[in-house]
């Protein structure tokens, strides 16, 4: 075989190898591109499913007719005062076809109503009452509320996670001290008395700003 022929064969072989190598690279690039797209699609589905799971958080609703409970109005908001073992808490009261009972700011009442009781959901309902039909609404004094729900005395304890409402007596008057958003509201004999910033009262043994005002 002559030298020129050998050189030509080597050149042809090199060209063929180059073409095959190039094709291999293109195929590999295409595979990676497709693989990345498939991975992205696979990633998107669980992510979407996770959002749906959160958004569709379990919420249960039950109904009860002639439900009896105690409510209080604090400013423009209504709550039912509920004791569960050592916990005495205010629960938001909602309406579902019925108006709120006509009571004044700082007053309490015993209500009998048909309600929906809602638990869970995105809003985090905690067996909260939705008024469907109010059958009766009877005003209650602070002392009546304190006796029935065993309210703790503000002279001995403070507002905390266990006590959203406290009772206090001074010179013949009855006071109700209540958690309200980021504040603490104090009412005297059914009338507004004072408002305190929560951080000025929390962590103390008793609500001293209130006690010192008397």
């Amino acid at each position: 075989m002559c030298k020129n022929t050998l050189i030509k064969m080597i050149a042809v072989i090199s060209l063929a190898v180059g073409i095959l190598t190039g094709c291999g690279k293109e195929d590999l690039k295409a595979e990676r591109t497709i693989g990345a797209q498939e991975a992205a699609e696979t990633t998107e589905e669980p992510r979407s499913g996770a959002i749906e799971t959160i958004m569709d958080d379990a919420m249960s609703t039950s109904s009860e007719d002639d439900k009896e409970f105690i409510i209080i109005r604090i400013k423009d908001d209504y709550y039912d005062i509920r004791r569960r073992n050592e916990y005495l808490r205010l629960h938001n009261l909602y309406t579902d076809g019925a108006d709120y009972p006509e009571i004044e700011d700082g007053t309490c009442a015993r209500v009998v109503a048909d309600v929906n009781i809602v638990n869970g959901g995105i809003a985090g309902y905690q067996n909260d009452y939705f008024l469907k039909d109010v059958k009766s609404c009877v005003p209650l004094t602070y002392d009546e509320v304190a006796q029935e729900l065993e309210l703790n005395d503000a002279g001995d304890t403070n507002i905390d996670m266990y006590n959203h409402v406290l009772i206090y007596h001074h010179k013949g008057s009855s006071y109700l001290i209540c958690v309200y958003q980021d504040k603490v509201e104090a009412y005297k004999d059914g009338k507004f008395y004072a408002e305190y910033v929560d951080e000025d009262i929390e962590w103390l043994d008793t609500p001293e700003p209130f006690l010192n005002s008397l």
Side-chain angles (χ1 to χ4, degrees):
M1 181 179 296
C2 68
K3 184 176 180 181
N4 290 338
T5 303
L6 180 60
I7 292 172
K8 288 180 180 179
M9 290 181 64
I10 293 173
V12 170
I13 292 172
S14 298
L15 179 61
V17 171
I19 292 172
L20 292 174
T21 304
C23 290
K25 289 181 179 179
E26 289 300 320
D27 290 343
L28 180 60
K29 182 179 180 181
E31 288 177 1
R32 287 177 178 173
T33 301
I34 294 172
Q37 290 175 346
E38 291 177 346
E41 292 172 359
T42 303
T43 304
E44 288 300 325
E45 290 179 2
R47 189 177 299 162
S48 177
I51 293 174
E52 289 175 3
T53 300
I54 294 172
M55 295 301 291
D56 294 334
D57 189 18
M59 183 172 70
S60 62
T61 302
S62 60
S63 298
E64 185 172 338
D65 292 342
D66 299 324
K67 179 73 175 177
E68 183 177 309
F69 49 96
I70 295 175
I71 68 170
I72 182 172
R73 177 179 172 181
I74 304 178
K75 296 188 176 181
D76 291 327
D77 295 316
Y78 293 76
Y79 303 88
D80 75 272
I81 311 174
R82 199 180 309 181
R83 173 170 288 285
R84 182 180 179 187
N85 299 322
E86 74 272 28
Y87 291 93
L88 190 287
R89 289 181 170 175
L90 295 173
H91 284 248
N92 290 92
L93 184 64
Y94 303 91
T95 60
D96 186 9
D99 293 330
Y100 287 115
E102 295 184 3
I103 61 175
E104 298 297 323
D105 176 29
T107 61
C108 302
R110 185 189 310 281
V111 168
V112 176
D114 296 343
V115 299
N116 283 328
I117 304 172
V118 183
N119 188 56
I122 299 300
Y125 296 114
Q126 299 180 0
N127 293 315
D128 295 317
Y129 301 153
F130 283 69
L131 300 172
K132 295 191 298 181
D133 184 20
V134 178
K135 306 291 186 63
S136 65
C137 178
V138 179
L140 294 176
T141 66
Y142 290 167
D143 288 339
E144 289 172 329
V145 173
Q147 181 176 2
E148 183 164 337
L149 295 177
E150 299 178 351
L151 300 185
N152 287 316
D153 194 291
D156 302 321
T157 189
N158 196 6
I159 290 286
D160 57 27
M161 63 181 293
Y162 295 96
N163 301 289
H164 285 183
V165 184
L166 301 173
I167 188 74
Y168 192 72
H169 297 96
H170 180 70
K171 294 184 177 180
S173 292
S174 297
Y175 295 81
L176 215 59
I177 299 91
C178 312
V179 168
Y180 179 69
Q181 298 179 7
D182 60 346
K183 297 182 174 60
V184 173
E185 306 294 324
Y187 292 95
K188 174 183 178 181
D189 298 327
K191 300 294 183 181
F192 175 79
Y193 175 74
E195 179 180 83
Y196 306 94
V197 177
D198 183 58
E199 62 186 19
D200 292 339
I201 288 182
E202 64 181 353
W203 310 120
L204 301 174
D205 293 331
T206 58
E208 292 178 11
F210 161 74
L211 297 174
N212 293 337
S213 70
L214 300 175

